[in-house]
C-alpha cells in the first residue's frame, strides 16, 4: 500500500539572478522613498515579473493568491479585482500602484514570518498524517511570543500564505488565519 502524498514544503524566497536582484533592489529602494515614482518604476516591476514568469520561478500558489477570490478571506473579490475596482484597470496602473509592492514583495520573498514558524510548517508538511490541532496550538503560541509585527507586515496574511504554501487546504489555512487574528486582538487589548 502506497503512503499518501506529502503536502509541499513551503517555498521561501525565489532565488533571483543578479539582474533580477538588481531590479528588485531598485524597486524596493524606490518604493521606500517619499514622493512619486520615477517614470521607469512600472517598467522595472513589469520586467522583473516577466523574467520570473519566463523561467517559471514564481510558485503557482503565489500568483493564485493575487488572482483568485477564493483565497481572499472576508472579501468575495480577488486582490487583483480590488485593484481594478479602485481604478487600477490597466496593467501599467496596477504595477505602478504603491500598494502593489506588498504583493510583489510576497511573490519574490515569500511569507514574512518568524523562522520558527516556517520550521514548524515544514515539519507539519513532512508528516504523512497531519496533526492540525497541534499545528494550531504551536502557531498561536508563536504569535503570542512575538513582541509585535514589524511595520508593513500583516502577520495574519503572511501566516495564511505560509499555510497555503505548506499544503494546508483552504479551510485549514483560514482557521489558522482566524487563530492568528484572535491572538493578535487579545494581545492588543492587554497592552
Amino acid at each position: 500500500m502506497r503512503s499518501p502524498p506529502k503536502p509541499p514544503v513551503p517555498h521561501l524566497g525565489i532565488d533571483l539572478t543578479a539582474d533580477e536582484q538588481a531590479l528588485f533592489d531598485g524597486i524596493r529602494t524606490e518604493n521606500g522613498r517619499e514622493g512619486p515614482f520615477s517614470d521607469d518604476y512600472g517598467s522595472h516591476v513589469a520586467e522583473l515579473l516577466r523574467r520570473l514568469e519566463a523561467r517559471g520561478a514564481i510558485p503557482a500558489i503565489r500568483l493564485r493568491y493575487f488572482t483568485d477570490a477564493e483565497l481572499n478571506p472576508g472579501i468575495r473579490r480577488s486582490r487583483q479585482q480590488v485593484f481594478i475596482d479602485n481604478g487600477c484597470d490597466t496593467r501599467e496602473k496596477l504595477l505602478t500602484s504603491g500598494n502593489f509592492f506588498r504583493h510583489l514583495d510576497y511573490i519574490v520573498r515569500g511569507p514574512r514570518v518568524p523562522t520558527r514558524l516556517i520550521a514548524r510548517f515544514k515539519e507539519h508538511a513532512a508528516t504523512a498524517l497531519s496533526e492540525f490541532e497541534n499545528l494550531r496550538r504551536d502557531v498561536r503560541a508563536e504569535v503570542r511570543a512575538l513582541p509585535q509585527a514589524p511595520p508593513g507586515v500583516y502577520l495574519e496574511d503572511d501566516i495564511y500564505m505560509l499555510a497555503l504554501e505548506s499544503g494546508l487546504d483552504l479551510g485549514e489555512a483560514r482557521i489558522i488565519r482566524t487563530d492568528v487574528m484572535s491572538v493578535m486582538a487579545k494581545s492588543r487589548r492587554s497592552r
Side-chain angles (χ1 to χ4, degrees), residues 149-176:
V153 174
Y154 299 86
L155 195 59
E156 68 276 9
D157 287 339
D158 284 297
I159 292 174
Y160 173 71
M161 293 181 265
L162 180 61
L164 290 170
E165 288 194 16
S166 298
L168 268 64
D169 68 37
L170 184 57
E172 291 171 328
R174 286 182 176 171
I175 289 169
I176 293 281

Side-chain angles (χ1 to χ4, degrees), residues 121-132:
F121 274 93
K122 282 183 177 180
E123 178 184 307
H124 177 77
T127 59
L129 298 174
S130 298
E131 297 180 16
F132 183 63

Side-chain angles (χ1 to χ4, degrees), residues 52-121:
L52 295 174
E53 288 171 342
R55 65 183 180 94
I58 303 172
I61 189 67
R62 293 191 186 167
L63 292 176
R64 189 170 163 227
Y65 178 80
F66 186 70
T67 61
D68 188 339
E70 188 177 39
L71 299 185
N72 196 3
I75 300 175
R76 292 199 167 103
R77 298 174 296 162
S78 71
R79 288 163 180 82
Q80 181 178 28
Q81 188 61 49
V82 171
F83 274 93
I84 291 168
D85 292 348
N86 288 327
C88 294
D89 52 357
T90 65
R91 182 171 171 90
E92 180 182 352
K93 286 181 183 177
L94 175 85
L95 297 179
T96 56
S97 166
N99 293 324
F100 180 72
F101 180 76
R102 175 175 165 229
H103 302 286
L104 177 67
D105 189 60
Y106 165 60
I107 288 169
V108 173
R109 297 191 328 169
R112 294 171 53 188
V113 298
T115 306
R116 290 190 314 250
L117 270 177
I118 293 171
R120 181 61 183 102
F121 274 93

Side-chain angles (χ1 to χ4, degrees), residues 1-70:
M1 184 172 159
R2 276 180 43 195
S3 60
K6 293 183 180 180
V9 174
H11 302 279
L12 297 177
I14 294 172
D15 290 327
L16 300 176
T17 66
D19 289 343
E20 291 166 349
Q21 187 66 55
L23 273 171
F24 186 61
D25 290 344
I27 292 164
R28 286 176 55 192
T29 299
E30 186 157 350
N31 191 68
R33 68 175 177 77
E34 294 294 320
F37 294 133
S38 71
D39 293 340
D40 295 334
Y41 180 81
S43 63
H44 291 163
V45 173
E47 178 62 16
L48 177 60
L49 288 172
R50 186 196 63 73
R51 289 178 183 206
L52 295 174
E53 288 171 342
R55 65 183 180 94
I58 303 172
I61 189 67
R62 293 191 186 167
L63 292 176
R64 189 170 163 227
Y65 178 80
F66 186 70
T67 61
D68 188 339
E70 188 177 39

